[in-house]
Amino acid sequence: MLISLRIENFALIDCLDLEFGPSLNVFTGETGAGKSIILDAIDAVLGGKVDRRSIRTGAARAILEATFELDKAAARWLGEQEIEPIDGNLAVCSREINASSGALRSRSRLNGILVNRQLMDQLRDRLVEITAQGQTVHLGQETLQREWLDLYGGKKLAEARSTIGSAWLCASNAKTALKRRRQSEQQRLQRLDLLEYQVRELGEAHIEDADELEQLEQESIRLSHIVELQQQSYQVHQALYQNDGDSASAADLLSKAEVILSDMAVYDVQLQPILEMVSDALAQATEASRQISSYGEQLEADPERLEEVEDRIRELKQICRKYGPLKEAIAYYQSIQNELNELLEGGESMEALELAYQTALEQLKDTCSHLSTLRREAALKLETHLVEELKPLAMEKVQFQVEISPCTPTATGADQIAFCFSPNPGEPLQPLGAIASGGEMSRFLLAIKACFSQIESAGTLIFDEIDAGVSGRVAGAIAKKLYQLSDKHQVLCVTHQPLIAAMADCHFRVNKQTIEAEPSIGEAAAHCEPVERTVVRVAALNSEQRREELAQLASGRSATEAIAFAESLLVEAAGLRQTQSAKP
């Protein structure tokens, strides 16, 4: 139940605080007075779409806040989202809408915690149901009619509908597999030839090590420069240890330096570290010369190995040009081996796939048949229930039938659903969308909502001009039906009908006013004086004000006769409420 609503800088509303009653809340006012803005604000605070026009002209942001009292199921769901209800059963939904730097941004919070759009949508379904102007246009859609019938069928039908989805998916997958198998035999053979060739080529190449090519190229360079390496290793050995020329080797020079430093260290111990460094250098030079000498002695020209390496390099480069780097070629080789094995095995046979499809199709048909049975049972109950709800709405002779005809199985079953309707005696049943007038559509929609009032989870029902296209006795019948709904649900209703407004437990008048306000930043450059601004004001009416408002709705003026008529409406409404309350 919606307890309160706070609006700041939303559309034409500068600042507004409203508190609602638990039963029938009615908004009245002239056309264009801004009644629907209130409902738009409720929609927006629960995650509905907004645009730049949602922010009041001259303001940088709009703020919306709605407080709801939760039923046990909604409070439990909120706890499952790890958001604790306030005081055990309250949810405070807020939304801030900002327009800055050319972009529109909004943030939603639930009990002070920042939440995403998806969670707000889920909460919205548990709190309110908004029936807006023009929704009756969609009543003729068979998809919507099927959803209504399934919802009316309750949990048992919902479970059957869920099973249908799984069965249809299974049959669809089996059909796709069979179709692919039939169409792919030629491609399979072509693919088989290609894979056999590639597996043979890669297998004969014996590619196993992703670094083999790099290693072979390094070996090729070494084998190609054996003579140079031999000569240079000898030169290094001479330079380090044994020089046949006139100049001394590094070892000779270091040895000489070591002797001199040893003599010097006798007189100055500070030279000891330097001596040790020279001694280490001498030892390293001696070891390096030994190792380079050994390296040079082991070097040997091997033309046959060089030719073998170059041949292998050419083979691997050919593989890389066709299949990518060796690492990728090895991975591809492994994958096509698996694919080739599958193709050689042939997968499931055509007969096996055909059997699997027929089995899945039979399962789908059986599941659809069960769903159809449940739908027919639900249709009979809905027909009786809906006619009973329509009769008090000045449609005593109405006929209604849910026509269920077979169709190709889909994820929603094998039934084509059509709501057929005849408002006049002697006239045949025809599809709802093709025959019903605007006023009849409004009453039909209200009757549907009444049928679902026992099974829908939303605690607040919102109607935006559900009385469009009706008047007189029909308007009175709609008023009674709205009051009946308000016995189990909180109802918010925008109306132009005095008969409906008279039934309200809480009556709000909405009107536009022109006020003087401070100029905005852009206006302040040209004007220093206050400017006129239009704002929407909402007032909760007392008994006297209600009579005045009903008189305005009835005649457009507050004449004595209109006031008397308004008084009679209030008296009649009080009697109807008392009668309704006395019913078991």
Side-chain angles (χ1 to χ4, degrees):
M1 182 181 75
L2 178 60
I3 297 175
S4 63
L5 177 67
R6 182 169 66 88
I7 306 173
E8 291 183 15
N9 296 323
F10 183 79
L12 292 176
I13 298 176
D14 54 350
C15 184
L16 181 63
D17 283 285
L18 291 175
E19 293 185 359
F20 300 96
S23 299
L24 179 58
N25 299 262
V26 166
F27 294 89
T28 59
E30 296 292 336
T31 300
K35 299 183 294 298
S36 294
I37 295 177
I38 311 298
L39 306 190
D40 291 341
I42 298 174
D43 177 64
V45 78
L46 292 173
K49 291 183 179 180
V50 295
D51 54 31
R52 287 186 170 276
R53 291 175 297 179
S54 301
I55 301 177
R56 178 171 165 78
T57 302
R61 64 176 182 172
I63 298 176
L64 305 169
E65 182 179 283
T67 301
F68 290 89
E69 181 180 341
L70 306 175
D71 58 21
K72 292 182 180 179
R76 183 170 56 254
W77 177 86
L78 197 63
E80 292 171 356
Q81 313 311 310
E82 298 183 353
I83 300 176
E84 288 300 320
I86 297 174
D87 295 334
N89 67 339
L90 295 182
V92 178
C93 307
S94 63
R95 188 174 186 184
E96 181 179 317
I97 309 165
N98 291 278
S100 60
S101 304
L104 187 70
R105 298 182 177 87
S106 74
R107 292 183 297 180
S108 294
R109 285 184 169 82
L110 182 53
N111 289 351
I113 299 174
L114 199 64
V115 294
N116 58 29
R117 172 75 177 273
Q118 182 180 6
L119 190 140
M120 288 304 297
D121 285 343
Q122 295 176 11
L123 178 64
R124 172 199 184 100
D125 293 339
R126 289 166 169 79
L127 295 181
V128 304
E129 180 176 342
I130 301 176
T131 303
Q133 297 182 47
Q135 186 174 341
T136 54
V137 175
H138 305 295
L139 286 177
Q141 296 179 355
E142 292 185 358
T143 301
L144 180 61
Q145 294 173 0
R146 183 182 62 241
E147 294 300 324
W148 271 341
L149 178 61
D150 289 351
L151 180 61
Y152 189 79
K155 182 179 179 180
K156 190 175 181 181
L157 202 152
E159 291 174 349
R161 172 79 175 262
S162 175
T163 306
I164 282 288
S166 301
W168 180 83
L169 182 60
C170 182
S172 179
N173 290 340
K175 182 179 180 181
T176 301
L178 178 60
K179 183 178 180 181
R180 187 186 300 117
R181 184 70 172 83
R182 287 171 175 170
Q183 293 177 343
S184 66
E185 186 63 21
Q186 184 177 359
Q187 290 98 347
R188 188 184 76 87
L189 295 175
Q190 293 174 351
R191 180 68 174 168
L192 190 62
D193 287 342
L194 174 62
L195 293 181
E196 286 177 338
Y197 169 77
Q198 291 181 335
V199 166
R200 184 170 59 253
E201 181 179 41
L202 290 171
E204 291 173 353
H206 302 290
I207 53 173
E208 297 176 355
D209 185 358
D211 299 324
E212 182 185 2
L213 180 58
E214 181 181 353
Q215 294 169 357
L216 288 172
E217 287 176 335
Q218 292 176 358
E219 184 179 359
S220 174
I221 293 172
R222 184 179 65 82
L223 291 171
S224 300
H225 296 81
I226 288 293
V227 175
E228 291 92 329
L229 290 171
Q230 286 175 333
Q231 292 174 349
Q232 290 168 347
S233 62
Y234 177 71
Q235 292 172 359
V236 171
H237 174 70
Q238 281 190 318
L240 288 173
Y241 189 74
Q242 188 175 1
N243 195 338
D244 295 336
D246 297 333
S247 59
S249 67
D252 293 337
L253 295 173
L254 288 169
S255 178
K256 183 178 180 180
E258 183 183 30
V259 171
I260 296 171
L261 282 169
S262 296
D263 293 340
M264 295 172 67
V266 173
Y267 304 107
D268 189 352
V269 295
Q270 295 183 19
L271 295 173
Q272 188 64 35
I274 300 176
L275 174 60
E276 292 175 357
M277 292 171 61
V278 171
S279 297
D280 291 342
L282 175 59
Q284 290 179 359
T286 302
E287 177 62 22
S289 67
R290 186 190 66 77
Q291 291 187 17
I292 195 65
S293 176
S294 176
Y295 169 79
E297 291 173 355
Q298 293 176 5
L299 287 174
E300 184 178 348
D302 191 348
E304 293 182 358
R305 175 57 184 169
L306 177 59
E307 183 178 358
E308 179 184 331
V309 168
E310 290 180 342
D311 287 344
R312 179 60 173 169
I313 288 174
R314 284 191 291 271
E315 181 182 16
L316 292 179
K317 285 187 174 180
Q318 178 67 17
I319 292 294
C320 290
R321 279 193 291 270
K322 295 179 68 174
Y323 300 102
L326 274 183
K327 184 177 181 180
E328 296 179 10
I330 293 171
Y332 179 69
Y333 178 45
Q334 294 171 346
S335 69
I336 62 175
Q337 283 180 308
N338 295 331
E339 185 179 353
L340 180 61
N341 291 333
E342 292 177 0
L343 289 175
L344 289 172
E345 292 172 1
E348 291 187 82
S349 67
M350 194 81 73
E351 293 77 11
L353 291 173
E354 183 76 45
L355 178 61
Y357 172 59
Q358 291 299 328
T359 302
L361 186 60
E362 289 301 318
Q363 179 65 35
L364 176 61
K365 289 179 178 178
D366 291 344
T367 309
C368 286
S369 177
H370 176 60
L371 178 62
S372 298
T373 300
L374 295 177
R375 279 176 170 164
R376 290 189 181 92
E377 293 174 358
L380 291 174
K381 295 178 181 178
L382 180 59
E383 289 168 356
T384 302
H385 192 173
L386 188 61
V387 168
E388 290 302 315
E389 294 291 346
L390 284 169
K391 284 181 178 179
L393 298 176
M395 300 181 76
E396 295 84 356
K397 303 296 184 180
V398 67
Q399 298 179 66
F400 171 71
Q401 180 178 335
V402 181
E403 188 177 280
I404 302 177
S405 54
C407 66
T408 303
T410 67
T412 58
D415 302 311
Q416 186 172 348
I417 309 295
F419 285 5
C420 295
F421 182 72
S422 174
N424 303 307
E427 294 298 321
L429 289 162
Q430 296 187 45
L432 178 65
I435 187 174
S437 65
E440 289 166 344
M441 281 291 201
S442 296
R443 283 177 280 174
F444 188 90
L445 180 59
L446 185 58
I448 281 284
K449 296 299 180 185
C451 288
F452 285 95
S453 63
Q454 300 294 333
I455 59 176
E456 289 179 329
S457 59
T460 300
L461 303 179
I462 300 176
F463 296 96
D464 189 359
E465 297 193 15
I466 189 68
D467 53 0
V470 302
S471 60
R473 186 167 66 97
V474 176
I478 290 178
K480 295 177 185 178
K481 186 61 65 179
L482 286 172
Y483 187 78
Q484 291 173 10
L485 283 175
S486 71
D487 186 46
K488 293 183 174 63
H489 298 266
Q490 181 190 44
V491 177
L492 275 61
C493 179
V494 171
T495 183
H496 288 285
Q497 294 289 343
L499 293 172
I500 295 176
M503 293 294 293
D505 296 291
C506 295
H507 188 164
F508 300 92
R509 179 173 57 211
V510 184
N511 69 312
K512 288 179 181 176
Q513 296 179 10
T514 301
I515 64 172
E516 287 189 350
E518 293 295 326
S520 63
I521 296 176
E523 295 169 332
H527 303 285
C528 295
E529 298 180 358
V531 296
E532 289 188 342
R533 297 294 304 276
T534 300
V535 295
V536 171
R537 294 287 184 254
V538 181
L541 305 182
N542 58 30
S543 298
E544 186 61 34
Q545 291 169 330
R546 288 192 70 193
R547 281 192 290 270
E548 182 78 16
E549 179 69 6
L550 292 175
Q552 290 281 353
L553 289 174
S555 65
R557 62 185 188 278
S558 301
T560 304
E561 292 181 359
I563 291 291
F565 175 68
E567 183 66 38
S568 68
L569 289 179
L570 291 172
V571 171
E572 181 181 357
L576 288 172
R577 284 197 295 271
Q578 186 176 1
T579 302
Q580 197 66 37
S581 301
K583 291 182 179 180

